[in-house]
Amino acid sequence: MKITILTLFPEMFAPLYGSILGRAVKEGKLQIEVLNLRDYTEDKHKKCDDYPFGGGAGMVMTCQPIGSAIEAVDPCHRARRIYLSPKGRNFRQDMVYALAACEHVVLLCGHYEGVDQRAIDLFIDEEISIGDYVLTGGELPAMVLTDCVARYVEGVLSPESLVQESFSENMLEYPQYTRPVEYRGRTVPEVLRSGNHAEIDKWRRAEALKVTQKNRPDLLD
C-alpha cells in the first residue's frame, strides 16, 4: 500500500518513520510519501496561499499547487483522494477497513483558513475529520489516519494483534494487565491467571461491555 501526503510542512511527519510504521516502511510492506506542495506551485515566490474573496481573517490555500500535485502523483485518478478537514465525515473504524483495502491513498493537508473550494470539487473524493474540534492544520489528522490505516496493511502487525481491539465489534477494549501480579495493593484479576480460556474470554467480553457502557454508550445504540 502507498500513502501520499501533500502538505506545506513536510517536516512535521518525521514521527511516521519511527516505531512500527518505520519498520514496515524499511521492510517494504508500506510506502509513505510526504511531498511539499510548494514544489508544485507556479508562483516564483513559492506561494501556495492568498487572501479570501469576500474578506475575512487569514489566508486560503490556492488551487493550482494542489491540482498540480495531485495530478502528478495520481494522474489516472486511481487513488482514493482525501482532504483532512473539520467539515468532513467523522473518521470511524469502518472507514479504516475500507481505506486499508486501497492500493493508494492521497491525503491533502489543509492549513490556514482552509482550501479553495474549487480544488476540493475538482480533485478530492471525500473530506474526513478526526473529531469535532479545530486544529491549526491537517497534518496531525493525516498522521492519525495514516497510523490507523497502516496497521491493517498485511505484514505491518501480526494478525493476533488486530483481534478484539477497541471498536472491532462496536465495543471498547477490555482492561489489560501484566507483571507483577500485585502493585500497590491492586492485583491482577484471578480469572486472567486461571488458564481457563473460556472463562477468560467471558470475562473480557463482560469487561469490554462495561467499559463501553461507561465511556461510549453511543456505540451500543
Side-chain angles (χ1 to χ4, degrees), residues 66-81:
I66 294 170
S68 296
I70 290 177
E71 288 178 330
V73 301
D74 181 34
C76 299
H77 199 161
R78 291 176 178 166
R80 189 67 180 167
R81 301 170 176 181

Side-chain angles (χ1 to χ4, degrees), residues 38-71:
R38 297 184 196 281
D39 293 336
Y40 296 89
T41 183
E42 295 172 0
D43 183 88
K44 65 180 180 180
H45 301 296
K46 297 294 184 181
K47 276 190 65 178
C48 292
D49 61 318
D50 211 328
Y51 294 103
F53 278 114
M59 306 290 277
V60 175
M61 291 174 63
T62 54
C63 294
Q64 180 274 310
I66 294 170
S68 296
I70 290 177
E71 288 178 330

